[in-house]
Amino acid sequence: MGIIVQKFGGSSVATPANMKDVAKRIVKCKNEGNQVVVVVSAPGDETDELIDLAKQITDSPDEREMDVLLATGEQKSIALMAIAIKAFGCDAISFTGPQVGIVTDDVHGKARIVKIGGEKIVKALKLDKVVIVAGFQGMDEDEDITTLGRGGSDLTAVAIATALGAEVCELYKDVDGILTTNPKVVPEAKLIRHISYEEMLEMASAGAQVVNVRSIEYAQRYNMPMRVRPTFNEGLGTMITMEAREMEKLYVSGVTYSKDEIKITVYGIPDKPGNAGVIFRAIAEENINVDMIVQDVSEEGITNISFTVGKDELKKSLAAVEKVKAKVGIKNIMIDEGIAKISVVGVGMRSHAGVAAMMFEALSECGVNIEMISTSEIKISVVIDKAKTEDAVRKLHAKFNLDKI
Ligand code: ASP
Ligand code: MG
């Protein structure tokens, strides 16, 4: 009898009626002879609402106490889900993250999992119970409650699936699976049936917000098969594994975008070894992830560096650069909030030349100017004017024939 881990996101457990529907699905899976471990998110927009409550008290709430607060959302869901499953006559038990031994580092708000105990889960499964675990939370070495960053329940699910040696980790969401682009922008977007971790990772870090990025990294590291499935219908969704050969026939598998980044430009940096290191070390020390970086050609020994970070890291990033301003001799720091990042992703780029040319031509055909470019082996990203996002996405989706797969 195999173990299946099923994770249900916030919209799947938003109301008692949703919870009952989900519970029915879980009981069915159990009755088919599986051992089932369920991971749930906080109901609906509960996490946002909790953040909002704290923000009504202060702009910068204490990070440790924020985790204590946010963890309550998931705790609500596990209890209600266990109640729902039991009401259908199936035995179930709920546990918080700390109770099942999810040990993390102490970076409150985006802690990393360092260890998973899991003995409690194994014991309960042996007693034929469905086990419900709270997503998104753990505890650090001091037994302080931590959270894993937004969307972190996906990571909890994958980590538990790995620790238990589960057959598959199923992520149930309010979408049909992974699509070629956002269907709200391009109604012709198609379902991708099978995708590799690698491509999924690039798509997620480029703005496809369906699956938490760190959960994909984790699944890839341990080769845990993931399936993204719809909660509200029987669709099979998208399978994510090491290989997804059929995608190689395509130039590009998906078009994604993100409006959640801002561009910071640091002007007047003396162009000598070490200065970029000083600037980006200061940023790294604040635990800020930098995405794109572009350095201008230097003129008379002076250069400028532009980089992008997540919107919510703006304040911290500026403070970090300010700190080394005098040391480096920086003249000026500017921010641009009106940008978007558009990316095309596909393993097909390895075997097809000219994808960048096609992308840039398509953008010029719709009058879009490119401000920054970055590439990986299977992704090309550009920063453009935010107002042109939707036009650019529609154009690229058509250019790469994604409406015809
Ligand atoms: N409830 C948390 C969030 O909204 C974690 C999750 O849903 O995965 O980010
Ligand atoms: Mg602590």
Side-chain angles (χ1 to χ4, degrees):
M1 217 169 49
I3 298 176
I4 294 182
V5 174
Q6 301 189 319
K7 182 257 166 179
F8 293 89
S11 50
S12 308
V13 294
T15 65
N18 295 150
M19 294 239 182
K20 281 166 85 173
D21 287 342
V22 166
K24 238 185 258 169
R25 223 180 155 136
I26 295 167
V27 171
K28 186 165 162 254
C29 181
K30 171 82 173 61
N31 289 342
E32 281 162 2
N34 301 294
Q35 291 186 296
V36 187
V37 179
V38 176
V39 174
V40 280
S41 292
D45 295 328
E46 174 101 10
T47 308
D48 289 325
E49 284 157 21
L50 291 168
I51 293 171
D52 187 54
L53 278 181
K55 290 265 160 89
Q56 286 180 42
I57 297 174
T58 165
D59 270 346
S60 42
D62 182 86
E63 290 181 337
R64 180 191 181 279
E65 303 311 328
M66 273 315 278
D67 279 355
V68 176
L69 177 66
L70 296 191
T72 63
E74 272 68 14
Q75 191 163 335
K76 212 165 163 180
S77 292
I78 53 169
L80 288 170
M81 189 53 74
I83 289 168
I85 292 172
K86 288 185 144 199
F88 284 116
C90 178
D91 201 6
I93 185 165
S94 71
F95 295 122
T96 66
Q99 275 182 303
V100 294
I102 298 180
V103 181
T104 71
D105 63 19
D106 62 0
V107 183
H108 289 288
K110 50 175 169 184
R112 285 189 175 272
I113 296 178
V114 294
K115 200 173 79 194
I116 294 208
E119 296 82 8
K120 258 184 142 58
I121 302 178
V122 175
K123 245 196 213 160
L125 286 175
K126 280 204 182 114
L127 294 172
D128 211 28
K129 294 176 200 277
V130 172
V131 180
I132 325 284
V133 182
F136 178 55
Q137 53 176 262
M139 64 174 178
D140 66 13
E141 273 186 347
D142 302 330
E143 299 188 354
D144 281 334
I145 294 173
T146 53
T147 63
L148 308 178
R150 297 307 304 270
S153 299
D154 288 354
L155 179 58
T156 304
V158 173
I160 285 178
T162 304
L164 298 175
E167 278 170 18
V168 61
C169 180
E170 298 182 329
L171 307 176
Y172 286 85
K173 309 221 170 219
D174 58 358
V175 292
D176 284 324
I178 308 299
L179 303 189
T180 50
T181 195
N182 184 348
K184 287 188 194 125
V185 178
V186 184
E188 301 80 23
K190 293 280 191 297
L191 177 71
I192 301 173
R193 292 183 195 287
H194 200 157
I195 194 169
S196 60
Y197 296 123
E198 195 188 15
E199 279 182 299
M200 193 59 237
L201 212 46
E202 292 280 25
M203 280 176 64
S205 60
Q209 281 168 349
V210 179
V211 187
N212 173 276
V213 176
R214 282 162 67 186
S215 74
I216 308 162
E217 287 169 349
Y218 204 101
Q220 181 177 37
R221 193 168 339 126
Y222 296 100
N223 202 6
M224 169 54 60
M226 289 166 104
R227 186 183 280 286
V228 179
R229 298 183 70 165
T231 306
F232 303 115
N233 66 57
E234 297 293 318
L236 285 179
T238 303
M239 190 71 183
I240 313 172
T241 60
M242 206 64 99
E243 300 277 333
R245 290 244 149 240
E246 71 263 35
M247 302 305 288
E248 283 178 26
K249 294 199 292 281
L250 299 169
Y251 282 43
V252 157
S253 314
V255 179
T256 54
Y257 65 89
S258 164
K259 295 182 178 178
D260 296 330
E261 289 182 30
I262 41 154
K263 184 170 84 174
I264 299 179
T265 305
V266 184
Y267 289 97
I269 305 166
D271 196 6
K272 59 170 208 252
N275 275 342
V278 172
I279 296 168
F280 288 97
R281 168 59 58 203
I283 295 167
E285 268 164 12
E286 296 299 320
N287 265 308
I288 297 162
N289 283 325
V290 173
D291 184 16
M292 287 201 200
I293 303 177
V294 171
Q295 177 171 334
D296 292 350
V297 175
S298 73
E299 267 177 56
E300 288 163 23
I302 299 289
T303 192
N304 312 312
I305 295 180
S306 296
F307 60 93
T308 63
V309 294
K311 250 191 219 153
D312 45 356
E313 316 252 53
L314 172 61
K315 261 197 209 157
K316 271 180 158 180
S317 308
L318 285 178
V321 181
E322 278 296 337
K323 243 194 228 164
V324 295
K325 190 174 175 188
K327 182 174 171 193
V328 173
I330 294 165
K331 293 226 171 59
N332 199 3
I333 307 163
M334 301 265 279
I335 59 168
D336 182 355
E337 299 186 77
I339 60 151
K341 180 177 70 169
I342 315 276
S343 309
V344 297
V345 175
V347 282
M349 281 180 213
R350 289 205 179 105
S351 42
H352 300 284
V355 177
M358 272 175 85
M359 179 183 191
F360 302 158
E361 280 162 11
L363 291 171
S364 89
E365 282 159 25
C366 56
V368 172
N369 186 41
I370 300 169
E371 296 176 29
M372 294 170 103
I373 302 170
S374 78
T375 62
S376 78
E377 223 191 333
I378 62 163
K379 180 179 75 180
I380 305 167
S381 300
V382 296
V383 165
I384 64 164
D385 176 1
K386 195 187 253 174
K388 301 267 171 76
T389 309
E390 283 74 16
D391 283 350
V393 169
R394 276 191 284 267
K395 184 82 191 179
L396 291 169
H397 196 266
K399 183 85 170 185
F400 289 104
N401 286 320
L402 291 175
D403 41 356
K404 302 200 179 72
I405 66 168

